[in-house]
Structures are given as C-alpha cells and as structure tokens.
Amino acid sequence: MQISKKIKINNNDYYIIIDVEYKKDQNNLPKLCLKNYKDDYWDGGDCSILIEEVEKNYTSEKSKQYDQHIGFISDILYIYDRIPFISGIKDIYISNSDNLPYSESYISKKEIEAYIQKFNVKMNYNPNFKLYSKQTWKL
C-alpha cells in the first residue's frame, strides 16, 4: 500500500510517497508498518509533524547545497535527506485557470539515489533516524 502526503517547499506542492504494509505485532494483531525501511515504525501523526518541521526549517540556502542549478532536484534532495523512508516524490503543477492538475512528475527513491551517486552529491545521511524520535531528526 502507498500513502501520499503533501509537503510545501518554496511555494511548490510536492507529495511524498510512502510504502507501507500490514505486519503482525507481538500479539499477532495487524499493525501498519513502513515497508523496505530498517526501522519499520509508522505513525501518520508523527509523519505529519516531521513534514511540518521540514517545511518550517526550509531555506533556499539549505536546498542549494544539493544542486546549484536545478531547483526541482535540490528540493527533492532536501526532502529526501530529511525524510529518508520515502519511496518517491511527486511534483504536481496546478493550473491557475481551472485549479486542476496541469502536469505531474514522479521520481523514485532508486532514481534519487542514482542521481546522488552519478553527480556525487554530498548528503547528510542520518543512520540513527527514527520517525518516533524527534531527537533523531536532522532539520
């Protein structure tokens, strides 16, 4: 299953895509968890708080540390560096005339990581990141 959550960065609306799955907890009850992430804890409320903090702490200077020339990719890398469990990011342009989607793009985690490798982008990897622990968030 995928969850999509809106994040507003520099007047752009992006949608982070999060892969989740149901697992059995210690009592054999269903529990929604992050899929394909080392710490599988999932909570939509904690994720919303993290998104608010990422939005609030955004500056163009922080974003430009990833790419000086392409605003889209610098924003994507800014988000990915702070929300490492995402499986992709959508960028949706809304038409001003009829307030409907005009165009949509999507970049997967695999493509983001390939860009980082190909262009030797310095990331601030956070191996201790835990969604449930604000102390581990690097904003």
Side-chain angles (χ1 to χ4, degrees):
M1 182 167 83
Q2 289 187 327
I3 295 174
S4 177
K5 288 190 162 277
K6 181 180 172 181
I7 182 168
K8 190 168 192 73
I9 299 292
N10 198 26
N11 296 320
N12 294 313
D13 292 334
Y14 298 105
Y15 292 85
I16 59 171
I17 309 301
I18 303 148
D19 288 334
V20 293
E21 65 183 342
Y22 284 99
K23 293 182 178 178
K24 291 181 181 180
D25 69 7
Q26 63 272 18
N27 298 317
N28 233 13
L29 297 172
K31 172 176 130 177
L32 192 58
C33 300
L34 288 170
K35 186 176 181 180
N36 303 321
Y37 192 73
K38 62 185 182 300
D39 178 42
D40 68 355
Y41 169 84
W42 169 252
D43 183 277
D46 286 343
C47 185
S48 293
I49 292 168
L50 174 58
I51 289 169
E52 288 174 14
E53 291 297 318
V54 170
E55 290 173 334
K56 184 172 66 174
N57 286 285
Y58 173 87
T59 66
S60 59
E61 293 79 32
K62 287 180 184 177
S63 179
K64 286 180 182 174
Q65 83 176 13
Y66 303 103
D67 192 294
Q68 293 284 324
H69 309 287
I70 305 171
F72 169 77
I73 199 68
S74 65
D75 285 350
I76 296 305
L77 295 173
Y78 170 85
I79 295 167
Y80 182 62
D81 213 11
R82 287 152 180 82
I83 310 175
F85 55 83
I86 61 173
S87 58
I89 301 175
K90 282 185 182 180
D91 181 21
I92 301 175
Y93 290 98
I94 305 295
S95 169
N96 289 334
S97 60
D98 54 11
N99 203 28
L100 293 171
Y102 178 75
S103 70
E104 181 178 314
S105 59
Y106 174 79
I107 186 167
S108 70
K109 179 177 188 158
K110 184 177 177 181
E111 292 170 306
I112 294 168
E113 290 178 348
Y115 185 93
I116 292 166
Q117 291 296 322
K118 185 174 189 174
F119 295 101
N120 199 26
V121 178
K122 183 181 179 313
M123 301 294 284
N124 301 305
Y125 287 108
N126 182 1
N128 298 318
F129 176 88
K130 305 271 190 265
L131 179 58
Y132 62 84
S133 177
K134 292 179 186 177
Q135 292 82 8
T136 66
W137 300 353
K138 292 186 179 178
L139 302 168

